[in-house]
Amino acid sequence: DEEFVRDVKHMFDFYDTDRDGMIVTSAAVRLWNSMGIMADPEDLKLRPAIGFTNFLRLTRKYTDMLLKDEDGEAVMIFGLLDQKHAGAVTVQGMQDFLLEHGVRWSTNEVEALVEHIDSGPGQGKSFLEQDFIDFIATYKATLQTLPEKADTDRRSVASQ
């Protein structure tokens, strides 16, 4: 815990160039983003700057969430997809995100993906965070079985 506080203080001091005990909120967000943390906008609402005590508290909160949450990666990705912070990602939102990242899918392809992820009442029009987390967990589990399946396939081919 002391080492954690020392490390966070070191990061904070790097951005506190005028040594007034405050850093601009955008610098705090950049720091958290560099750690793979998506800051909750509600935590930072109407704050142009943040002091060390609050920065430490929020850094601890965010890192604890990541460490405790097996799906931290999925939650982070969902946060990127849910650009309007609506708690759901629509077909249009998914298509906009893909286009911003150079991926050109047709509306039909994006609709099929959203429908595949959606397990709730959205009827393929949008998906919620938990739908996305479940989808990623299933995807990861499938990927973990691929080497086993490939080994089994190789053995069956070799025995023929």
Side-chain angles (χ1 to χ4, degrees), residues 94-106 109-110:
M94 179 64 118
Q95 192 159 32
D96 291 347
F97 178 83
L98 292 171
L99 282 172
E100 285 174 19
H101 292 86
V103 179
R104 296 194 182 278
W105 281 15
S106 71
E109 291 170 315
V110 176

Side-chain angles (χ1 to χ4, degrees), residues 8-9 36 43 48 71 76 91-92 98 102-103 118-119 123 133:
V8 172
K9 179 72 170 142
D43 288 336
D71 300 309
M76 183 182 77
V91 169
Q92 186 62 53
L98 292 171
V103 179
D118 180 31
S119 67
Q123 301 158 347
I133 290 168

Side-chain angles (χ1 to χ4, degrees), residues 66-115:
L66 282 179
L67 294 173
K68 290 178 185 172
D69 182 7
E70 291 182 27
D71 300 309
E73 184 177 347
V75 171
M76 183 182 77
I77 295 168
F78 184 84
L80 294 172
L81 293 171
D82 183 18
Q83 295 176 351
K84 294 181 180 177
H85 306 291
V89 176
T90 63
V91 169
Q92 186 62 53
M94 179 64 118
Q95 192 159 32
D96 291 347
F97 178 83
L98 292 171
L99 282 172
E100 285 174 19
H101 292 86
V103 179
R104 296 194 182 278
W105 281 15
S106 71
T107 301
N108 289 340
E109 291 170 315
V110 176
E111 285 174 347
L113 175 64
V114 170
E115 187 174 329

